[in-house]
Amino acid sequence: MDADSPRHIAVIGSGPAGCFTAQALRRQWKDADITIFDRLASPYGLIRYGVAADHQHTKAVTRQFDRNFGSGDFRFAGNVEVGSDIDLDVIRAEFDIVVLATGRWRDRTLTVPGAHLDGVLVSGDIVNALNTVPRPNIPMPTIGRKVVVVGAGNVALDIVRFLIKTAADYADSDVSPEALDSYLSSPATEVTVLSRSPIASAKADVAMIRELGKIPGVRITVANASPAAEDNTLGRKREAAFAELASRDVDEVRAHVHFVFGATPSRVGGTTQVETVHLSAAPSGEASVIPADTVISAIGFDVNAPGHWHYAEEYDFTPSDTLGRIGPGLYRSGWLKRGPVGAIPANRSDAHQVAKEIIADVESGDCTINPEAGGYEALPASLTKQSVSFAHWGRIDSAERANAGESRIRRKFHDHEDMLAAARSQDS
Ligand SMILES: Cc1cc2nc3c(=O)[nH]c(=O)nc-3n(C[C@H](O)[C@H](O)[C@H](O)COP(=O)(O)OP(=O)(O)OC[C@H]3O[C@@H](n4cnc5c(N)ncnc54)[C@H](O)[C@@H]3O)c2cc1C
């Protein structure tokens, strides 16, 4: 090994950003020891705990990371939360390079009057319940029959799909049976989706819009305040996709979804529970008061959520599309770097860019290699003992698959402690 090559690399966060960055660094430095830490006992971040259960094909990206972990390209150290189980400084002292890839995951909440009423929910609570997020596990909140979804990006469309799908649509998935049953015992029949932007600049991917058309028994209607200009190709594609949804013949309607583009909610009405949503702007002919018992906001993530960077508060986490470096030998990647936008492939290109930057810093001497650093093995024994290895995760994985139940691929553990018990089940 070249004396100037890093020997010990730590990546904090095992989501796609962390894994893609580790892959790119591994390609450059074949002999470096790379450890990926995660606060959870399972790897892969939002691929496991955010991507919708009816999109299992998207989760298949984890197979390539499985191979990396399985072949020893990198070590998994789960159940290690940087900031509470170990200080970032302690990790930095033992590793030549540290890459933070802890994502950004807290919903932005509605700020209109009435947003505190019972029945106002954030999409994250529903996503977490359906994906069985542990630490802490939150059960499916109560959702009524008349739902207003605020937002029209991909996460909002995930929520709309969930509201209008049936139990059969989750065959061969890993959805939480408790969360799904709880909702499907009394599913929504009227769903209104409000988007401030016109269709042309709404964030949803065309493929996500088209997918709604494959769900039987649902009538979809659309109101749009200002159509896309001739030269806005993507906007026109989105409009065409929505027009196609609205033109479908639907037999035996179970539910009605009405998309209103160019609509601004100004207030949620009710005394203790949501009763109405009031609009300050809406396309002409549209109601300005919508009866509702539930409001679900899917309006993006709060970049500055307090406590999020408790492990590294002294650094600047303003989103950046360019530089990953935030300190000597300290970098960031993925949503923590660019802000909470973009799908999994965007993290791959970002990770490659960050890896290039790291390699250039090492080659130019801007990132110095510490011959005294001992890497993972030099961390306190209590910490390495508590950490969950990839082999440990394999036991959790096997237990979840064994518990899958009929027409499911796995049944995830609800409880972090139960995951740890399954991980250690065969330790002597
Ligand atoms: C609801 C939802 C649905 C989505 N659906 C899709 C989809 O269908 N297709 C698609 O391509 N993209 C989808 N995305 C986007 C995709 O999930 C993100 O682009 C991607 O996960 C961001 O990767 P990341 O590695 O930066 O963050 P994350 O995936 O959030 O990973 C961060 C990791 O860091 C860990 N961590 C956090 N803090 C600490 C700490 N202090 N110590 C140790 N570990 C820590 C977390 O446990 C987590 O594992 C979706 C996103 C959401 C929110």
Side-chain angles (χ1 to χ4, degrees):
M1 190 190 298
D2 183 336
D4 296 330
S5 297
R7 289 177 306 132
H8 303 292
I9 299 173
V11 176
I12 319 297
S14 67
C19 290
F20 283 130
T21 309
Q23 271 185 345
L25 295 177
R26 158 61 65 225
R27 270 194 289 276
Q28 175 70 16
W29 291 303
K30 303 272 182 284
D31 298 323
D33 191 47
I34 303 179
T35 305
I36 305 188
F37 294 89
D38 205 290
R39 61 185 288 272
L40 298 178
S42 51
Y44 309 140
L46 287 172
I47 305 177
R48 174 171 154 101
Y49 285 125
V51 169
D54 60 342
H55 277 181
Q56 289 299 320
H57 51 281
T58 306
K59 297 181 189 248
V61 65
T62 58
R63 289 197 200 121
Q64 54 169 297
F65 305 141
D66 283 345
R67 286 193 290 276
N68 289 121
F69 281 118
S71 66
D73 280 344
F74 18 95
R75 170 191 298 109
F76 182 59
N79 190 36
V80 175
E81 183 169 84
V82 175
S84 33
D85 295 322
I86 186 166
D87 284 346
L88 180 60
D89 286 348
V90 177
I91 293 193
R92 290 190 71 196
E94 299 299 349
F95 290 81
D96 300 309
I97 292 164
V98 178
V99 182
L100 306 176
T102 53
R104 267 179 175 150
W105 174 229
R106 185 170 305 181
D107 285 61
R108 188 181 293 150
T109 49
L110 277 181
T111 50
V112 297
H116 63 282
L117 290 171
D118 288 347
V120 178
L121 310 173
V122 288
S123 61
D125 285 352
I126 296 167
V127 169
N128 287 4
L130 290 169
N131 279 294
T132 329
V133 173
R135 214 180 180 186
N137 181 257
I138 298 168
M140 176 60 82
T142 303
I143 298 175
R145 297 282 192 178
K146 290 184 185 157
V147 181
V148 169
V149 175
V150 182
N154 285 341
V155 174
L157 293 203
D158 279 351
I159 294 292
V160 173
R161 272 201 332 282
F162 156 66
L163 292 172
I164 58 179
K165 279 197 161 183
T166 63
D169 294 314
Y170 290 91
D172 299 328
S173 81
D174 57 358
V175 71
S176 157
E178 293 82 6
L180 188 65
D181 292 352
S182 145
Y183 171 68
L184 288 179
S185 63
S186 174
T189 51
E190 288 291 326
V191 180
T192 307
V193 187
L194 302 177
S195 165
R196 271 178 207 250
S197 351
I199 294 184
S201 47
K203 299 280 185 300
D205 291 343
V206 171
M208 293 278 286
I209 302 166
R210 291 201 182 119
E211 204 179 325
L212 295 175
K214 297 183 188 143
I215 305 170
V218 182
R219 167 157 300 133
I220 299 179
T221 49
V222 182
N224 187 22
S226 56
E230 282 291 337
D231 59 352
N232 182 350
T233 316
L234 181 57
R236 295 217 139 217
K237 272 193 188 161
R238 278 203 200 97
E239 284 176 353
F242 273 110
E244 206 174 306
L245 290 182
S247 69
R248 287 179 322 145
D249 287 331
V250 183
D251 298 329
E252 296 178 39
V253 176
R254 291 181 284 117
H256 178 197
V257 180
H258 185 44
F259 284 89
V260 189
F261 291 92
T264 311
S266 56
R267 178 163 77 84
V268 180
T271 42
T272 55
Q273 168 75 34
V274 174
E275 291 170 18
T276 48
V277 176
H278 299 246
L279 306 183
S280 60
S284 65
E286 286 300 307
S288 59
V289 180
I290 304 162
D293 45 36
T294 310
V295 175
I296 303 172
S297 63
I299 50 176
F301 304 97
D302 185 355
V303 168
N304 292 312
H308 198 85
W309 307 306
H310 63 292
Y311 60 87
E313 268 164 355
E314 63 276 35
Y315 296 99
D316 179 7
F317 286 104
T318 308
S320 162
D321 278 334
T322 51
L323 289 185
R325 182 176 172 160
I326 49 174
L330 184 65
Y331 299 82
R332 59 178 173 156
S333 173
W335 275 19
L336 185 71
K337 169 171 175 277
R338 289 174 294 113
V341 284
I344 294 163
N347 297 293
R348 182 193 281 120
S349 22
D350 185 56
H352 288 182
Q353 192 182 321
V354 173
K356 263 193 195 162
E357 187 184 339
I358 296 172
I359 294 161
D361 282 356
V362 169
E363 286 175 351
S364 68
D366 277 351
C367 174
T368 49
I369 305 306
N370 173 9
E372 305 297 316
Y376 179 77
E377 304 299 344
L379 295 178
S382 57
L383 188 94
T384 51
K385 196 160 175 267
Q386 93 171 41
S387 91
V388 163
S389 68
F390 194 69
H392 281 136
W393 151 246
R395 293 178 198 160
I396 299 173
D397 186 31
S398 304
E400 288 187 345
R401 289 176 193 276
N403 291 338
E406 204 182 329
S407 84
R408 293 285 184 273
I409 53 164
R410 70 170 68 236
R411 186 187 178 106
K412 291 182 194 164
F413 285 99
H414 286 97
D415 188 79
H416 183 69
E417 295 304 318
D418 289 346
M419 292 176 85
L420 297 184
R424 308 231 155 87
S425 55
Q426 291 154 46
D427 286 357
S428 52

